[in-house]
Each structure stands twice: as structure tokens, then as C-alpha cells.
């Protein structure tokens, strides 16, 4: 079971939602098989952490290189992301 729900999927992007009730333990370090450009929809205080970096705000688009370890860190409210696909 995944810690998110895909709201919309097209050939060029995915809209993904993390619910505010998620247990933070479900937000695990992981790697993706493709580069990912991630953009926040709305406002959030959730953070993202890339390997060997401190957690950072998600207030601007973030490029996550393929096979790069990363995780999201729970904030308040829901988190909705737009993930652009190549």
C-alpha cells in the first residue's frame, strides 16, 4: 500500500495527494527510476529531504535526479504535488 493517492494521471504529469492523517513512519526514504520535477499545488509546510542534505521547504519546483534517495516530511494539512513526467 502506498502512502499517497494519485488524483490524476496523464502522459505528462501525475497529481498526487498525501493525506494529513498519514502516519509519518509511512514516509520512507526511496529512489525513483526516472528524474522527477515536483511542484507543490497550494500552500504547505511539508518538507522534502534529499540524501546528505537538510530538510527543505517545498515552495519552489524541485528536481529529483533518478536513483537519488529522498523522502517527504509530514507537515500540517494535506500535501498535493504535481509530478512532471518526461
Amino acid at each position: 500500500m502506498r502512502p499517497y493517492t494519485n488524483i490524476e494521471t496523464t502522459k505528462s504529469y501525475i497529481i498526487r495527494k498525501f493525506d494529513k492523517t498519514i502516519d509519518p513512519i509511512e514516509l520512507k526514504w526511496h529512489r525513483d527510476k526516472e528524474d522527477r520535477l515536483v511542484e507543490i499545488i497550494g500552500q504547505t509546510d511539508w518538507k522534502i529531504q534529499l540524501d546528505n542534505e537538510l530538510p527543505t521547504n517545498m515552495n519552489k519546483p524541485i528536481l529529483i535526479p533518478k536513483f537519488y534517495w529522498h523522502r517527504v516530511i509530514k507537515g500540517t494539512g494535506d500535501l498535493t504535488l504535481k509530478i512532471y513526467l518526461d
Side-chain angles (χ1 to χ4, degrees), residues 24-84:
I25 198 133
E26 293 184 59
L27 303 171
K28 301 184 185 267
W29 286 95
H30 67 282
R31 297 183 292 178
D32 297 312
K33 294 179 181 178
E34 310 87 24
D35 290 340
R36 297 283 175 105
L37 179 61
V38 178
E39 181 178 32
I40 298 306
I41 297 175
Q43 299 291 326
T44 189
D45 64 347
W46 287 56
K47 296 185 183 292
I48 190 164
Q49 185 173 14
L50 302 178
D51 194 27
N52 294 318
E53 295 184 26
L54 294 173
T56 186
N57 292 326
M58 301 176 78
N59 55 5
K60 62 180 180 181
I62 299 163
L63 178 63
I64 304 169
K66 66 180 175 181
F67 303 121
Y68 204 81
W69 287 101
H70 62 283
R71 67 176 177 160
V72 291
I73 299 172
K74 184 178 177 182
T76 56
D78 295 335
L79 172 65
T80 306
L81 306 170
K82 187 172 191 177
I83 303 168
Y84 294 92

